[in-house]
Amino acid sequence: MSNQNISFYENVNRYFDQAAVYTNHPAALLEHVKQCNCTYRVEFPLRYDDGSIEIIYGWRVEHSHHKLPCKGGIRYALEVNEDEVQALAALMTYKCALVDVPFGGAKGGVKIDPRKYTPAQLERITRRYTHELIKKNFIGPAVDVPAPDYGTGEKEMAWIADTYLATHPSELNALGCVTGKPVAQGGIRGRREATGRGLFYALREACNQTDDMKSRGLSVGVAGKRCIIQGLGNVGSNFASIASKEGNIIITGIAEYEGGIFNGEGLDIDAVIKYRQENKSILNYPGAVSFANTGEVLEQECDVLVPAALENQITAENAPRIKAKVILEGANGPVTPDAEEILLQKGVLMIPDMYANAGGVIVSYFEWLKNLSHVRFGRLSQLAEEKSESKLLRAIEEATHYQFPEIERKYIVHGSDEYDLVVSGLEKTMIDAYMQILEIRAQKKLHNLRTAAYVSSIDKVATTYEQLGIFP
Ligand code: GLU
Protein backbone atom coordinates (compact mmCIF):
# COMPACT_ATOMS: atom_id res chain seq x y z
CA MET A 1 0.00 0.00 0.00
CA SER A 2 2.94 2.29 0.67
CA ASN A 3 3.83 4.65 -2.15
CA GLN A 4 7.61 4.48 -2.52
CA ASN A 5 7.85 7.35 -5.03
CA ILE A 6 7.02 9.97 -2.47
CA SER A 7 9.78 11.16 -0.11
CA PHE A 8 8.25 10.95 3.32
CA TYR A 9 11.01 13.06 4.90
CA GLU A 10 10.51 15.81 2.29
CA ASN A 11 6.80 15.78 3.10
CA VAL A 12 7.42 16.14 6.83
CA ASN A 13 9.74 19.05 6.01
CA ARG A 14 7.07 20.65 3.82
CA TYR A 15 4.66 20.55 6.74
CA PHE A 16 7.44 22.01 8.91
CA ASP A 17 8.09 24.87 6.46
CA GLN A 18 4.39 25.70 6.20
CA ALA A 19 4.35 26.22 9.97
CA ALA A 20 7.81 27.76 10.47
CA VAL A 21 6.66 31.01 8.84
CA TYR A 22 4.34 31.56 11.80
CA THR A 23 7.28 31.46 14.26
CA ASN A 24 9.97 34.06 14.98
CA HIS A 25 13.22 32.09 15.05
CA PRO A 26 16.35 32.72 13.00
CA ALA A 27 16.55 30.75 9.76
CA ALA A 28 19.69 28.88 10.87
CA LEU A 29 18.00 27.72 14.05
CA LEU A 30 14.94 26.53 12.13
CA GLU A 31 17.23 24.63 9.77
CA HIS A 32 18.99 23.04 12.74
CA VAL A 33 15.66 21.98 14.27
CA LYS A 34 14.57 20.46 10.95
CA GLN A 35 17.63 18.32 10.14
CA CYS A 36 18.40 14.87 11.52
CA ASN A 37 21.34 15.04 13.94
CA CYS A 38 22.67 11.57 13.09
CA THR A 39 21.79 8.63 10.90
CA TYR A 40 23.30 5.24 11.71
CA ARG A 41 23.03 2.51 9.11
CA VAL A 42 23.83 -1.09 10.04
CA GLU A 43 24.20 -4.23 8.06
CA PHE A 44 24.74 -7.69 9.54
CA PRO A 45 24.44 -11.34 8.51
CA LEU A 46 21.69 -13.77 9.48
CA ARG A 47 22.82 -17.37 9.20
CA TYR A 48 20.18 -19.97 8.31
CA ASP A 49 20.25 -23.57 9.59
CA ASP A 50 21.37 -24.79 6.14
CA GLY A 51 24.44 -22.54 6.37
CA SER A 52 23.23 -19.90 3.90
CA ILE A 53 23.49 -16.27 4.86
CA GLU A 54 21.17 -13.31 4.37
CA ILE A 55 22.34 -9.73 4.88
CA ILE A 56 19.97 -7.69 7.02
CA TYR A 57 19.82 -3.88 6.70
CA GLY A 58 18.78 -1.57 9.51
CA TRP A 59 18.84 2.07 10.63
CA ARG A 60 18.60 4.17 13.75
CA VAL A 61 18.13 7.88 13.27
CA GLU A 62 18.38 10.43 16.06
CA HIS A 63 16.67 13.52 14.79
CA SER A 64 17.07 15.86 17.74
CA HIS A 65 19.19 15.98 20.88
CA HIS A 66 17.60 19.11 22.32
CA LYS A 67 16.35 16.81 25.10
CA LEU A 68 17.77 13.45 26.10
CA PRO A 69 17.18 10.59 25.83
CA CYS A 70 15.95 10.39 22.25
CA LYS A 71 12.83 8.33 21.85
CA GLY A 72 11.05 6.44 19.10
CA GLY A 73 9.97 3.03 17.93
CA ILE A 74 11.63 0.37 15.81
CA ARG A 75 9.83 -0.73 12.68
CA TYR A 76 10.14 -4.11 10.96
CA ALA A 77 8.89 -3.90 7.38
CA LEU A 78 10.13 -4.49 3.86
CA GLU A 79 9.35 -0.86 2.96
CA VAL A 80 11.85 0.46 5.56
CA ASN A 81 14.45 2.81 4.06
CA GLU A 82 16.63 5.68 5.23
CA ASP A 83 14.25 8.41 4.07
CA GLU A 84 11.37 6.80 5.94
CA VAL A 85 13.30 6.36 9.20
CA GLN A 86 14.49 9.98 9.03
CA ALA A 87 10.92 11.21 8.50
CA LEU A 88 9.64 9.11 11.38
CA ALA A 89 12.47 10.31 13.67
CA ALA A 90 11.61 13.92 12.85
CA LEU A 91 7.95 13.28 13.60
CA MET A 92 8.96 11.85 16.98
CA THR A 93 10.72 15.12 17.87
CA TYR A 94 7.63 17.16 17.01
CA LYS A 95 5.29 14.67 18.68
CA CYS A 96 7.19 14.60 21.98
CA ALA A 97 7.50 18.39 22.05
CA LEU A 98 3.80 18.87 21.32
CA VAL A 99 2.61 16.65 24.18
CA ASP A 100 5.34 17.82 26.59
CA VAL A 101 7.17 14.52 26.82
CA PRO A 102 10.79 15.52 27.55
CA PHE A 103 12.57 13.52 24.84
CA GLY A 104 14.36 14.16 21.58
CA GLY A 105 13.06 12.29 18.53
CA ALA A 106 14.48 9.08 17.08
CA LYS A 107 13.37 6.09 15.06
CA GLY A 108 14.70 2.70 14.05
CA GLY A 109 13.92 0.35 11.22
CA VAL A 110 14.93 -3.09 9.98
CA LYS A 111 14.18 -3.93 6.37
CA ILE A 112 12.49 -7.31 6.80
CA ASP A 113 9.03 -8.77 6.48
CA PRO A 114 8.69 -10.21 10.00
CA ARG A 115 6.05 -12.71 8.84
CA LYS A 116 8.69 -14.50 6.77
CA TYR A 117 10.91 -15.42 9.74
CA THR A 118 10.62 -17.96 12.55
CA PRO A 119 10.50 -16.65 16.13
CA ALA A 120 14.08 -17.90 16.63
CA GLN A 121 15.28 -15.97 13.56
CA LEU A 122 13.44 -12.84 14.68
CA GLU A 123 15.11 -13.14 18.05
CA ARG A 124 18.56 -13.40 16.43
CA ILE A 125 17.87 -10.39 14.21
CA THR A 126 16.57 -8.32 17.15
CA ARG A 127 19.46 -9.20 19.45
CA ARG A 128 22.05 -8.53 16.75
CA TYR A 129 20.43 -5.21 15.84
CA THR A 130 20.52 -4.29 19.56
CA HIS A 131 24.23 -5.18 19.71
CA GLU A 132 24.84 -2.87 16.75
CA LEU A 133 23.05 -0.05 18.62
CA ILE A 134 25.05 -0.76 21.80
CA LYS A 135 28.36 -0.66 19.88
CA LYS A 136 27.79 2.94 18.82
CA ASN A 137 25.95 4.11 21.94
CA PHE A 138 22.63 4.39 20.08
CA ILE A 139 20.67 2.83 22.94
CA GLY A 140 20.51 3.37 26.69
CA PRO A 141 18.14 4.86 29.29
CA ALA A 142 19.95 8.22 29.12
CA VAL A 143 20.72 8.37 25.39
CA ASP A 144 18.17 6.68 23.14
CA VAL A 145 15.16 4.57 24.12
CA PRO A 146 13.41 2.48 21.43
CA ALA A 147 9.83 1.18 21.57
CA PRO A 148 7.45 -0.85 19.40
CA ASP A 149 6.29 0.36 16.00
CA TYR A 150 4.82 -1.23 12.86
CA GLY A 151 5.85 -4.92 12.81
CA THR A 152 7.26 -5.06 16.34
CA GLY A 153 5.74 -5.53 19.80
CA GLU A 154 6.36 -6.61 23.38
CA LYS A 155 8.29 -9.71 22.36
CA GLU A 156 10.94 -7.75 20.46
CA MET A 157 11.17 -5.16 23.27
CA ALA A 158 11.81 -7.96 25.79
CA TRP A 159 14.70 -9.28 23.63
CA ILE A 160 16.14 -5.77 23.35
CA ALA A 161 15.94 -5.24 27.13
CA ASP A 162 17.49 -8.62 27.80
CA THR A 163 20.37 -8.00 25.39
CA TYR A 164 21.04 -4.58 26.90
CA LEU A 165 20.85 -5.90 30.48
CA ALA A 166 23.26 -8.73 29.64
CA THR A 167 25.84 -6.25 28.38
CA HIS A 168 25.27 -3.65 31.15
CA PRO A 169 24.88 -5.84 34.25
CA SER A 170 25.72 -3.13 36.77
CA GLU A 171 23.70 -0.31 35.22
CA LEU A 172 21.00 0.48 37.77
CA ASN A 173 18.54 1.93 35.26
CA ALA A 174 19.21 -0.54 32.45
CA LEU A 175 15.51 -1.56 32.18
CA GLY A 176 14.74 1.97 31.00
CA CYS A 177 16.70 1.31 27.78
CA VAL A 178 13.50 0.39 25.91
CA THR A 179 9.73 0.79 26.46
CA GLY A 180 6.72 -1.24 25.42
CA LYS A 181 8.09 -4.24 27.32
CA PRO A 182 5.85 -6.97 28.73
CA VAL A 183 4.57 -6.02 32.20
CA ALA A 184 6.50 -8.91 33.73
CA GLN A 185 9.74 -7.49 32.31
CA GLY A 186 9.44 -3.91 33.51
CA GLY A 187 6.61 -2.81 31.21
CA ILE A 188 3.63 -0.75 32.35
CA ARG A 189 -0.07 -1.58 32.37
CA GLY A 190 -1.95 0.25 29.62
CA ARG A 191 1.01 0.62 27.21
CA ARG A 192 -0.32 -1.92 24.69
CA GLU A 193 -3.60 -0.04 24.13
CA ALA A 194 -2.07 3.42 24.64
CA THR A 195 -1.90 4.61 21.02
CA GLY A 196 -5.44 3.43 20.24
CA ARG A 197 -6.75 4.94 23.47
CA GLY A 198 -4.98 8.25 22.81
CA LEU A 199 -6.47 8.26 19.32
CA PHE A 200 -9.92 7.97 20.85
CA TYR A 201 -9.27 10.88 23.22
CA ALA A 202 -8.00 12.96 20.29
CA LEU A 203 -11.21 12.34 18.34
CA ARG A 204 -13.35 13.02 21.40
CA GLU A 205 -11.65 16.38 21.98
CA ALA A 206 -12.09 17.33 18.32
CA CYS A 207 -15.74 16.29 18.28
CA ASN A 208 -16.44 18.35 21.40
CA GLN A 209 -15.66 21.61 19.56
CA THR A 210 -19.07 22.96 18.57
CA ASP A 211 -17.89 25.24 15.74
CA ASP A 212 -15.67 22.60 14.13
CA MET A 213 -18.53 20.11 14.11
CA LYS A 214 -21.37 22.46 13.12
CA SER A 215 -19.40 23.91 10.20
CA ARG A 216 -19.08 20.37 8.80
CA GLY A 217 -22.72 19.47 9.37
CA LEU A 218 -21.78 17.08 12.18
CA SER A 219 -23.35 16.75 15.63
CA VAL A 220 -21.21 17.66 18.65
CA GLY A 221 -19.70 14.70 20.54
CA VAL A 222 -18.26 11.38 19.42
CA ALA A 223 -21.34 9.26 20.02
CA GLY A 224 -22.89 7.95 16.82
CA LYS A 225 -20.04 9.06 14.53
CA ARG A 226 -19.55 6.62 11.64
CA CYS A 227 -15.99 5.61 11.25
CA ILE A 228 -13.83 3.74 8.70
CA ILE A 229 -10.47 2.39 9.86
CA GLN A 230 -7.47 1.41 7.76
CA GLY A 231 -5.28 -1.10 9.59
CA LEU A 232 -6.31 -3.62 12.24
CA GLY A 233 -2.90 -3.74 13.92
CA ASN A 234 -2.28 -2.70 17.50
CA VAL A 235 -3.38 0.91 16.90
CA GLY A 236 -6.45 0.31 14.71
CA SER A 237 -7.86 -2.61 16.70
CA ASN A 238 -7.49 -0.93 20.10
CA PHE A 239 -8.94 2.31 18.77
CA ALA A 240 -11.90 0.44 17.27
CA SER A 241 -12.66 -1.43 20.43
CA ILE A 242 -12.28 1.55 22.82
CA ALA A 243 -14.14 3.92 20.47
CA SER A 244 -17.11 1.60 20.11
CA LYS A 245 -17.28 0.59 23.79
CA GLU A 246 -16.47 3.91 25.51
CA GLY A 247 -17.58 6.39 22.86
CA ASN A 248 -20.51 4.66 21.12
CA ILE A 249 -18.78 5.23 17.80
CA ILE A 250 -20.04 3.07 14.95
CA ILE A 251 -17.31 1.30 12.99
CA THR A 252 -18.66 0.91 9.47
CA GLY A 253 -15.60 -0.04 7.44
CA ILE A 254 -12.24 -1.74 7.85
CA ALA A 255 -9.41 -1.84 5.32
CA GLU A 256 -6.46 -4.21 5.57
CA TYR A 257 -3.79 -5.16 3.07
CA GLU A 258 -5.79 -8.18 1.81
CA GLY A 259 -8.88 -6.02 1.11
CA GLY A 260 -11.68 -4.43 3.07
CA ILE A 261 -15.22 -4.72 4.38
CA PHE A 262 -18.06 -2.22 4.80
CA ASN A 263 -21.43 -2.23 6.49
CA GLY A 264 -23.21 1.12 6.90
CA GLU A 265 -25.14 -0.27 9.89
CA GLY A 266 -21.94 -0.97 11.81
CA LEU A 267 -19.54 -3.87 12.39
CA ASP A 268 -18.97 -5.84 15.58
CA ILE A 269 -15.26 -5.21 15.97
CA ASP A 270 -14.50 -8.13 18.29
CA ALA A 271 -16.26 -10.49 15.87
CA VAL A 272 -14.30 -9.04 12.91
CA ILE A 273 -10.96 -9.51 14.72
CA LYS A 274 -11.90 -13.11 15.60
CA TYR A 275 -13.03 -13.78 12.03
CA ARG A 276 -9.74 -12.44 10.65
CA GLN A 277 -7.70 -14.58 13.04
CA GLU A 278 -9.61 -17.70 12.02
CA ASN A 279 -9.73 -17.02 8.27
CA LYS A 280 -6.42 -15.13 7.85
CA SER A 281 -8.41 -12.44 5.99
CA ILE A 282 -11.31 -10.07 6.63
CA LEU A 283 -12.74 -10.68 3.16
CA ASN A 284 -16.20 -12.28 3.01
CA TYR A 285 -16.94 -11.36 6.63
CA PRO A 286 -20.68 -12.21 6.88
CA GLY A 287 -23.10 -9.30 6.66
CA ALA A 288 -20.65 -6.85 5.08
CA VAL A 289 -19.73 -5.90 1.53
CA SER A 290 -16.19 -7.05 0.69
CA PHE A 291 -13.74 -5.06 -1.44
CA ALA A 292 -10.76 -6.78 -3.01
CA ASN A 293 -9.31 -3.33 -3.71
CA THR A 294 -8.59 -2.10 -0.21
CA GLY A 295 -8.33 1.56 -1.31
CA GLU A 296 -12.02 1.58 -2.21
CA VAL A 297 -13.05 1.13 1.41
CA LEU A 298 -11.42 4.46 2.33
CA GLU A 299 -13.66 6.17 -0.22
CA GLN A 300 -16.96 5.01 1.27
CA GLU A 301 -19.39 7.36 3.00
CA CYS A 302 -18.42 8.07 6.65
CA ASP A 303 -17.93 10.85 9.20
CA VAL A 304 -14.41 9.92 10.30
CA LEU A 305 -11.64 8.17 8.41
CA VAL A 306 -8.82 6.70 10.51
CA PRO A 307 -5.75 5.74 8.49
CA ALA A 308 -3.85 3.61 11.05
CA ALA A 309 -1.48 1.63 8.82
CA LEU A 310 1.43 3.21 6.95
CA GLU A 311 2.49 6.53 5.41
CA ASN A 312 1.44 7.96 2.02
CA GLN A 313 -1.95 6.26 1.94
CA ILE A 314 -4.00 9.33 1.02
CA THR A 315 -2.36 11.12 -1.88
CA ALA A 316 -3.44 13.72 -4.46
CA GLU A 317 -4.72 10.75 -6.50
CA ASN A 318 -7.37 9.40 -4.10
CA ALA A 319 -7.94 12.51 -1.91
CA PRO A 320 -10.67 13.94 -4.23
CA ARG A 321 -12.73 10.76 -3.71
CA ILE A 322 -12.51 10.72 0.11
CA LYS A 323 -15.95 11.45 1.63
CA ALA A 324 -14.98 11.67 5.31
CA LYS A 325 -15.45 15.00 7.10
CA VAL A 326 -12.78 14.27 9.70
CA ILE A 327 -9.46 12.48 9.20
CA LEU A 328 -7.85 11.09 12.35
CA GLU A 329 -4.24 10.10 11.62
CA GLY A 330 -3.48 6.91 13.56
CA ALA A 331 -0.42 6.17 11.40
CA ASN A 332 2.55 8.48 10.95
CA GLY A 333 2.35 10.45 7.71
CA PRO A 334 -0.69 8.76 6.13
CA VAL A 335 -1.72 11.94 4.26
CA THR A 336 0.70 13.70 1.88
CA PRO A 337 0.84 17.54 1.81
CA ASP A 338 -0.68 17.57 -1.71
CA ALA A 339 -3.56 15.43 -0.50
CA GLU A 340 -4.00 17.60 2.56
CA GLU A 341 -4.42 20.69 0.41
CA ILE A 342 -7.26 19.01 -1.48
CA LEU A 343 -8.88 17.76 1.71
CA LEU A 344 -8.67 21.13 3.45
CA GLN A 345 -10.32 22.75 0.44
CA LYS A 346 -13.14 20.25 0.83
CA GLY A 347 -13.47 21.37 4.47
CA VAL A 348 -12.11 18.18 6.05
CA LEU A 349 -10.93 18.51 9.65
CA MET A 350 -7.44 16.99 9.84
CA ILE A 351 -6.37 15.66 13.24
CA PRO A 352 -2.62 15.35 12.66
CA ASP A 353 -0.49 12.28 13.41
CA MET A 354 1.92 14.07 15.74
CA TYR A 355 -0.99 14.73 18.07
CA ALA A 356 -3.46 11.94 17.30
CA ASN A 357 -1.10 8.98 17.74
CA ALA A 358 1.00 10.42 20.57
CA GLY A 359 -0.61 8.10 23.15
CA GLY A 360 2.08 5.46 22.61
CA VAL A 361 5.00 7.69 23.47
CA ILE A 362 3.11 9.37 26.30
CA VAL A 363 2.68 6.02 28.05
CA SER A 364 6.24 5.05 27.06
CA TYR A 365 7.32 8.09 29.05
CA PHE A 366 5.39 6.77 32.07
CA GLU A 367 7.05 3.36 31.62
CA TRP A 368 10.51 4.96 31.48
CA LEU A 369 9.73 6.93 34.66
CA LYS A 370 8.59 3.71 36.33
CA ASN A 371 11.86 2.00 35.34
CA LEU A 372 13.96 4.88 36.66
CA SER A 373 12.01 5.12 39.90
CA HIS A 374 11.98 1.34 40.44
CA VAL A 375 8.45 1.43 41.80
CA ARG A 376 5.02 0.70 40.37
CA PHE A 377 2.76 3.78 40.20
CA GLY A 378 0.15 3.63 42.93
CA ARG A 379 2.11 1.28 45.16
CA LEU A 380 2.60 3.87 47.87
CA SER A 381 -0.70 5.68 47.54
CA GLN A 382 -3.43 3.20 46.62
CA LEU A 383 -4.32 1.91 50.08
CA ALA A 384 -3.87 5.32 51.72
CA GLU A 385 -6.35 6.75 49.20
CA GLU A 386 -8.81 3.94 49.89
CA LYS A 387 -8.61 4.49 53.65
CA SER A 388 -9.20 8.20 53.42
CA GLU A 389 -12.13 7.75 50.98
CA SER A 390 -13.59 5.20 53.40
CA LYS A 391 -13.39 7.63 56.30
CA LEU A 392 -15.09 10.32 54.25
CA LEU A 393 -17.84 7.92 53.23
CA ARG A 394 -18.42 6.84 56.81
CA ALA A 395 -18.69 10.49 57.89
CA ILE A 396 -21.26 11.13 55.15
CA GLU A 397 -23.20 8.03 56.18
CA GLU A 398 -23.27 9.12 59.81
CA ALA A 399 -24.37 12.63 58.94
CA THR A 400 -27.04 11.62 56.43
CA HIS A 401 -28.15 8.27 57.86
CA TYR A 402 -27.80 6.94 54.35
CA GLN A 403 -26.07 3.60 53.81
CA PHE A 404 -24.18 3.37 50.48
CA PRO A 405 -24.87 0.05 48.69
CA GLU A 406 -21.77 -2.19 48.70
CA ILE A 407 -21.18 -1.86 44.94
CA GLU A 408 -21.27 1.94 45.10
CA ARG A 409 -19.02 1.95 48.17
CA LYS A 410 -16.45 -0.18 46.37
CA TYR A 411 -16.50 2.12 43.35
CA ILE A 412 -16.08 5.28 45.41
CA VAL A 413 -13.31 4.03 47.70
CA HIS A 414 -11.24 2.40 44.93
CA GLY A 415 -7.72 3.86 45.12
CA SER A 416 -5.91 4.42 41.84
CA ASP A 417 -3.74 1.53 40.70
CA GLU A 418 -1.09 1.65 37.98
CA TYR A 419 -3.57 1.21 35.13
CA ASP A 420 -5.91 3.94 36.45
CA LEU A 421 -3.00 6.37 36.77
CA VAL A 422 -1.65 5.58 33.30
CA VAL A 423 -5.06 6.06 31.69
CA SER A 424 -5.76 9.33 33.51
CA GLY A 425 -2.25 10.64 32.80
CA LEU A 426 -2.74 9.84 29.13
CA GLU A 427 -6.20 11.41 29.00
CA LYS A 428 -5.05 14.61 30.71
CA THR A 429 -2.03 14.93 28.39
CA MET A 430 -4.21 14.50 25.30
CA ILE A 431 -6.73 17.10 26.54
CA ASP A 432 -4.03 19.65 27.41
CA ALA A 433 -2.24 19.22 24.07
CA TYR A 434 -5.50 19.72 22.14
CA MET A 435 -6.21 22.91 24.08
CA GLN A 436 -2.71 24.15 23.18
CA ILE A 437 -3.29 23.41 19.50
CA LEU A 438 -6.64 25.22 19.55
CA GLU A 439 -5.10 28.22 21.28
CA ILE A 440 -2.36 28.54 18.66
CA ARG A 441 -4.88 28.03 15.84
CA ALA A 442 -6.94 30.92 17.22
CA GLN A 443 -3.95 33.14 18.02
CA LYS A 444 -2.34 32.78 14.59
CA LYS A 445 -5.68 32.64 12.76
CA LEU A 446 -4.84 29.28 11.18
CA HIS A 447 -7.31 26.92 9.54
CA ASN A 448 -5.31 23.76 9.92
CA LEU A 449 -4.71 21.90 13.17
CA ARG A 450 -1.50 20.40 11.76
CA THR A 451 0.08 23.79 11.14
CA ALA A 452 -0.90 24.88 14.66
CA ALA A 453 0.59 21.67 16.10
CA TYR A 454 3.86 22.20 14.21
CA VAL A 455 4.04 25.83 15.37
CA SER A 456 3.74 24.64 18.97
CA SER A 457 6.46 21.98 18.54
CA ILE A 458 8.87 24.16 16.56
CA ASP A 459 8.58 26.90 19.19
CA LYS A 460 9.29 24.49 22.02
CA VAL A 461 12.29 22.81 20.37
CA ALA A 462 13.77 26.10 19.12
CA THR A 463 13.28 27.73 22.52
CA THR A 464 15.09 24.84 24.21
CA TYR A 465 18.06 25.32 21.87
CA GLU A 466 17.98 29.04 22.58
CA GLN A 467 17.94 28.39 26.33
CA LEU A 468 20.85 25.99 25.98
CA GLY A 469 22.77 28.97 24.65
CA ILE A 470 23.47 27.33 21.31
CA PHE A 471 21.51 29.97 19.42
CA PRO A 472 21.63 33.17 21.47
N1 GLU B 1 6.27 3.95 17.68
C1 GLU B 1 5.40 4.79 18.43
C2 GLU B 1 5.27 6.15 17.76
O1 GLU B 1 5.47 6.28 16.56
C3 GLU B 1 5.79 4.87 19.90
C4 GLU B 1 7.15 5.44 20.17
C5 GLU B 1 7.57 5.34 21.62
O2 GLU B 1 6.79 4.90 22.45
O3 GLU B 1 8.71 5.70 21.88
O4 GLU B 1 4.89 7.11 18.34
Side-chain angles (χ1 to χ4, degrees), residues 71-73 92 95 107 147-149 191 332 360-361 364:
K71 189 86 191 78
M92 284 308 301
K95 191 185 302 190
K107 201 79 173 199
D149 198 79
R191 174 63 183 85
N332 290 309
V361 78
S364 274

Side-chain angles (χ1 to χ4, degrees), residues 226-228 250-254 261-264 266-267 301-302:
R226 292 158 63 256
C227 194
I228 294 177
I250 305 163
I251 312 294
T252 53
I254 292 173
I261 54 174
F262 183 84
N263 178 350
L267 296 158
E301 204 74 57
C302 66

Side-chain angles (χ1 to χ4, degrees), residues 115-134:
R115 285 165 298 193
K116 300 245 165 73
Y117 297 85
T118 64
Q121 288 166 342
L122 281 176
E123 179 172 353
R124 289 215 298 274
I125 293 170
T126 307
R127 287 187 184 277
R128 177 62 191 259
Y129 175 73
T130 309
H131 274 294
E132 298 296 331
L133 299 182
I134 293 169

Side-chain angles (χ1 to χ4, degrees), residues 285-348:
Y285 175 77
V289 184
S290 286
F291 296 85
N293 173 4
T294 182
E296 262 181 75
V297 186
L298 312 186
E299 296 163 19
Q300 301 304 305
E301 204 74 57
C302 66
D303 300 319
V304 184
L305 177 61
V306 190
L310 284 169
E311 61 268 19
N312 299 341
Q313 297 301 299
I314 302 171
T315 63
E317 193 278 315
N318 59 353
R321 300 191 297 277
I322 299 288
K323 299 190 185 73
K325 300 188 178 76
V326 178
I327 293 188
L328 176 68
E329 295 187 331
N332 290 309
V335 178
T336 66
D338 289 339
E340 183 173 80
E341 236 169 74
I342 297 167
L343 294 165
L344 290 173
Q345 265 168 24
K346 294 199 322 177
V348 175

Side-chain angles (χ1 to χ4, degrees), residues 100-380:
D100 291 322
V101 163
F103 296 140
K107 201 79 173 199
V110 179
K111 192 177 175 54
I112 54 164
D113 177 354
R115 285 165 298 193
K116 300 245 165 73
Y117 297 85
T118 64
Q121 288 166 342
L122 281 176
E123 179 172 353
R124 289 215 298 274
I125 293 170
T126 307
R127 287 187 184 277
R128 177 62 191 259
Y129 175 73
T130 309
H131 274 294
E132 298 296 331
L133 299 182
I134 293 169
K135 275 201 255 179
K136 300 283 182 208
N137 206 23
F138 266 76
I139 183 171
V143 287
D144 191 344
V145 182
D149 198 79
Y150 189 85
T152 59
E154 288 174 20
K155 192 176 61 181
E156 287 75 16
M157 302 308 118
W159 290 326
I160 293 173
D162 187 57
T163 309
Y164 188 83
L165 258 72
T167 50
H168 299 75
S170 55
E171 197 175 307
L172 181 62
N173 292 326
L175 260 185
C177 72
V178 64
T179 58
K181 302 179 290 291
V183 172
Q185 263 126 314
I188 198 165
R189 288 162 186 82
R191 174 63 183 85
R192 195 182 300 165
E193 64 176 58
T195 313
R197 176 168 289 283
L199 211 52
F200 167 61
Y201 293 143
L203 182 60
R204 191 193 62 188
E205 291 313 298
C207 290
N208 281 344
Q209 302 308 313
T210 309
D211 290 349
D212 284 337
M213 292 299 107
K214 289 270 161 68
S215 59
R216 292 170 175 89
L218 294 170
S219 61
V220 179
V222 281
K225 293 277 178 301
R226 292 158 63 256
C227 194
I228 294 177
I229 301 173
Q230 181 194 36
L232 259 197
N234 179 46
V235 180
S237 60
N238 276 302
F239 167 76
S241 135
I242 293 166
S244 48
K245 285 177 196 134
E246 294 180 27
N248 290 320
I249 286 171
I250 305 163
I251 312 294
T252 53
I254 292 173
E256 255 296 349
Y257 58 85
E258 70 266 22
I261 54 174
F262 183 84
N263 178 350
E265 302 293 306
L267 296 158
D268 174 346
I269 191 67
D270 293 336
V272 174
I273 292 172
K274 190 159 171 269
Y275 177 88
R276 186 161 187 255
Q277 270 160 4
E278 283 164 5
N279 298 278
K280 308 272 170 272
S281 167
I282 42 174
L283 289 176
N284 304 320
Y285 175 77
V289 184
S290 286
F291 296 85
N293 173 4
T294 182
E296 262 181 75
V297 186
L298 312 186
E299 296 163 19
Q300 301 304 305
E301 204 74 57
C302 66
D303 300 319
V304 184
L305 177 61
V306 190
L310 284 169
E311 61 268 19
N312 299 341
Q313 297 301 299
I314 302 171
T315 63
E317 193 278 315
N318 59 353
R321 300 191 297 277
I322 299 288
K323 299 190 185 73
K325 300 188 178 76
V326 178
I327 293 188
L328 176 68
E329 295 187 331
N332 290 309
V335 178
T336 66
D338 289 339
E340 183 173 80
E341 236 169 74
I342 297 167
L343 294 165
L344 290 173
Q345 265 168 24
K346 294 199 322 177
V348 175
L349 180 73
M350 304 292 302
I351 310 177
D353 48 8
M354 56 194 285
Y355 167 67
N357 69 33
V361 78
I362 293 168
V363 177
S364 274
Y365 171 45
F366 301 155
E367 181 176 332
W368 181 76
L369 291 175
K370 176 189 183 183
N371 296 150
L372 297 199
S373 60
H374 301 264
V375 66
R376 172 171 36 85
F377 292 114
R379 178 163 171 185
L380 270 60

